[in-house]
């Protein structure tokens, strides 16, 4: 039985692929860290916030230290 693809093959795509620039990635990252700080300040546990961002708690601590 043939497999059905969820995404059309590259030659059949109707639009150009979009690439994120380093500036966009850094802006998204900074927004996430600021949001994490707000959640922690509101009383959420650091483990919950780390899980929400899909990172380890140590990574969260390191990034929060850069603010």
């Amino acid at each position: 039985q043939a497999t059905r693809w969820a995404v059309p093959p590259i030659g059949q795509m109707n639009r150009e692929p979009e690439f994120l620039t380093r500036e966009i990635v850094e802006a998204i990252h900074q927004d996430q860290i600021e949001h994490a700080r707000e959640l922690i300040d509101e009383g959420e546990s650091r483990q919950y916030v780390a899980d929400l961002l899909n990172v380890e708690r140590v990574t969260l601590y390191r990034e929060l230290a850069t603010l």
Side-chain angles (χ1 to χ4, degrees):
Q1 190 176 39
T3 304
R4 298 186 120 205
W5 293 92
V7 177
I10 301 256
Q12 295 178 4
M13 293 182 72
N14 294 331
R15 61 185 175 87
E16 291 292 320
E18 296 177 21
F19 296 100
L20 297 177
T21 63
R22 173 55 57 190
E23 292 80 21
I24 293 172
V25 171
E26 289 297 326
I28 292 169
H29 176 77
Q30 190 62 32
D31 288 345
Q32 288 177 325
I33 297 303
E34 290 171 4
H35 182 63
R37 170 57 68 197
E38 290 171 7
L39 289 174
I40 291 170
D41 289 344
E42 291 172 2
E44 292 292 345
S45 73
R46 287 173 171 78
Q47 183 63 56
Y48 171 77
V49 175
D51 291 343
L52 187 66
L53 296 175
N54 198 26
V55 297
E56 295 291 327
R57 198 172 59 221
V58 173
T59 304
L60 178 63
Y61 289 142
R62 183 175 53 241
E63 293 300 319
L64 289 174
T66 63
L67 283 180

